[in-house]
Amino acid sequence: RGRATSISRQNWWVLLGDMGTGKTSLVLRFVKGQFFEYQESTIGAAFFTQVLSLNEATVKFDIWDTAGQERYHSLTPMYYRGAAAAVVVYDISSVDSFIRAKKWVQELQRQGNPNMVMVLVANKADLQDKRKVENEEGEQYAKENELFFIETSAKTAQNVNELFYEIAMRLAKAC
Ligand code: GDP
Ligand code: MG
């Protein structure tokens, strides 16, 4: 039986990034093990509560999946201020989404909690033939900004569990 050591009382993570990059799909793949080719756009924002068992502790956290607002880029800092982790997602087949992801990173660096675990996620890694953003570009940017970087596919499930476990492990270490 694992110890119910939750990492912090308000352990919530936020997903940010352009509309259509696969934020909701990543969460649904992780939480439910499902993928929808025609994922309906989420209206409003959704919370998913999740519990992960690591070697030493059980990590309970909420994922705040932002939606709708990203179209107008009107997300106020209340959506991410105080988040333990921020997951900034882009789509490897969209240069625009990569540009927008970098803007999100800058905004988080300016306004976010300084201890926040920040992750840059290059999603839709299954779309190799449509790739517009090289792996090295994402990796390089992440390195310069001290972010954890990972390429994922919500469709094939590539690296999806790894993404969320990595965050949980980084937070567990930080405690
Ligand atoms: P969100 O607006 O960021 O929440 O993006 P969604 O999760 O709604 O996904 C937008 C579209 O991209 C949907 O049609 C998904 O099926 C598709 N999608 C999401 N993740 C992937 C992926 O990893 N690979 C591929 N090929 N399509 C994806
Ligand atoms: Mg969504």
Side-chain angles (χ1 to χ4, degrees), residues 31-45:
V31 174
K32 300 195 172 147
Q34 292 176 330
F35 176 78
F36 302 95
E37 205 66 56
Y38 302 100
Q39 178 62 46
E40 274 178 52
S41 297
T42 330
I43 306 295

Side-chain angles (χ1 to χ4, degrees), residues 14-18 21 23 66 75 79-80 86-89 104 108:
V14 67
L15 284 155
L16 300 166
D18 249 359
T21 52
K23 299 180 296 298
T66 60
L75 215 57
Y79 281 92
Y80 55 78
V87 181
V88 178
V89 183
W104 274 118
L108 290 165

